[in-house]
Amino acid sequence: MKIGILMDPIEGINTKKDSTFAMMLEAQARNHEIHCMTQNDIFVQDHKPYGNTKTINLTDRKTNFFEYLTEQTIQLSDLDAILMRKDPPFDMEYIMDTYVLDMAKQLGVLIVNNPQALRDANEKFFTEAFPEFSPQCIISRNPEHIKNFAKKLDKVIIKPMDGMGGASIFQTGKHDKNLNVIIETVTNDGTRTTMAQEFIPEITDGDKRILIINGKPVPYALARIPSDEDFRGNLAKGGTGEGRPLTDYDYKICEVVGPKLKEMGILFAGIDVIGSHLTEVNVTSPTCIRELDEQFGLNIAGQLFDEIEKLIKQ
């Protein structure tokens, strides 16, 4: 099959941790033809979606891990599937890309994940679809609304709606004299929608990333444990990844969230769970495949491609 990968420039990835790299290695192991593209490579002309693609050969190592084989301009409808793996920010350019992918979907290409679902399921806002599991929060661009919420709690987390990797996330609360400036900064003086969420003390035991493939969870989570110098568990901010089997309550959450994701055409997602709370539903470019594969001898990308191949054959 011909598999398109829409991603950030491959030169910048960390092969040890990059989940897109794991997917590409699996596609190559199955003898699929891999077509790499960046945002600048896709376009619409004469009412048809196109891509400037590069086929690629990969080697699983830290450096000199890829070589380009061919370069071509193709109609995206020539591909069997396209994996949308562009990292956030989820901005207007990202949305424009989903429109191009929508056109390819209408021509029969399997898009992972469904472009409409990428637009509908904001990774932080989407927890509101599951109120039985989501923590107390407020979502607003109005600084007064956020301040009134924060003033009720000793500790809150304030974060933008479009970031990733723990960027621009603050811990504050009603006794913090920096509260006002934090709110001004994250809301960009009341012009950017922001989430304030109750602080969950179980973060010290880890922020668990649970991967869900076509509605079913991988049976192990990666608990990202904050360092002594930070409250954030994100690996990009110094957190340590520790693999753990899912708990009964993790499965309870997945039994509710998984079918909804499948219904929306979200084939691969990563949900974040702290304690008993669902804090994010990551659908753009979820990570942690390589860490879980290494710790538990899994092949998560293999599970994903089993589902991709089934859907293409259908």
Side-chain angles (χ1 to χ4, degrees), residues 146-147 150-151 156 158 170-186:
I146 295 174
K147 182 164 69 173
K151 285 288 189 181
V156 296
I158 295 181
F170 292 86
Q171 177 187 300
T172 182
K174 62 183 180 182
H175 301 299
D176 187 357
K177 291 187 177 181
N178 289 311
L179 176 61
N180 287 338
V181 71
I182 289 171
I183 294 172
E184 291 164 9
T185 299
V186 182

Side-chain angles (χ1 to χ4, degrees), residues 5-200:
I5 311 284
L6 182 54
M7 60 185 294
D8 292 301
I10 192 171
E11 295 84 355
I13 69 173
N14 178 351
T15 60
K16 184 179 179 181
K17 296 179 178 293
D18 195 273
S19 292
T20 305
F21 188 64
M23 295 176 190
M24 296 166 74
L25 286 173
E26 181 63 24
Q28 179 172 280
R30 296 179 182 225
N31 295 316
H32 298 320
E33 188 174 272
I34 306 168
H35 289 254
C36 282
M37 300 170 283
T38 65
Q39 285 182 295
N40 286 345
D41 292 323
I42 61 172
F43 61 99
V44 173
Q45 185 171 323
D46 298 326
H47 316 296
K48 296 175 183 177
Y50 288 86
N52 298 323
T53 76
K54 296 177 180 177
T55 59
I56 196 167
N57 182 66
L58 303 166
T59 304
D60 191 1
R61 57 191 179 203
K62 291 183 179 180
T63 59
N64 301 319
F65 54 87
F66 73 95
E67 61 175 336
Y68 292 127
L69 303 176
T70 65
E71 296 186 35
Q72 51 279 311
T73 298
I74 62 172
Q75 291 191 37
L76 295 185
S77 57
D78 291 342
L79 300 171
D80 294 289
I82 299 173
L83 278 58
M84 176 47 152
R85 294 291 301 175
K86 170 70 182 71
D87 284 339
F90 189 95
D91 54 16
M92 201 63 205
E93 292 306 310
Y94 191 105
I95 291 174
M96 289 296 167
D97 294 339
T98 67
Y99 294 150
V100 179
L101 294 175
D102 256 332
M103 295 182 72
K105 181 175 181 286
Q106 294 303 316
L107 294 170
V109 183
L110 175 66
I111 311 296
V112 182
N113 289 311
N114 179 9
Q116 181 67 54
L118 291 175
R119 296 191 293 270
D120 288 349
N122 175 275
E123 305 194 333
K124 296 174 178 63
F125 206 118
F126 196 46
T127 58
E128 291 298 298
F130 311 101
E132 63 269 48
F133 302 120
S134 57
Q136 293 184 72
C137 74
I138 187 169
I139 301 170
S140 177
R141 65 174 60 86
N142 187 317
E144 286 301 312
H145 292 168
I146 295 174
K147 182 164 69 173
N148 290 338
F149 174 84
K151 285 288 189 181
K152 298 174 184 177
L153 299 169
D154 289 332
K155 288 185 180 181
V156 296
I157 299 297
I158 295 181
K159 52 188 175 180
M161 303 297 287
D162 60 353
M164 64 168 288
S168 300
I169 295 178
F170 292 86
Q171 177 187 300
T172 182
K174 62 183 180 182
H175 301 299
D176 187 357
K177 291 187 177 181
N178 289 311
L179 176 61
N180 287 338
V181 71
I182 289 171
I183 294 172
E184 291 164 9
T185 299
V186 182
T187 66
N188 196 25
D189 289 322
T191 63
R192 181 168 61 189
T193 300
T194 296
M195 173 181 279
Q197 194 175 69
E198 67 172 306
F199 177 78
I200 305 168

Side-chain angles (χ1 to χ4, degrees), residues 133 210-212 215-218 246 248-261 271 273:
F133 302 120
I210 301 172
L211 298 177
I212 298 180
K216 300 293 184 183
V218 173
L246 299 193
D248 290 344
Y249 201 85
D250 293 336
Y251 279 112
K252 182 178 179 179
I253 293 174
C254 293
E255 285 168 4
V256 175
V257 177
K260 179 64 174 177
L261 297 175
I271 66 171
V273 174

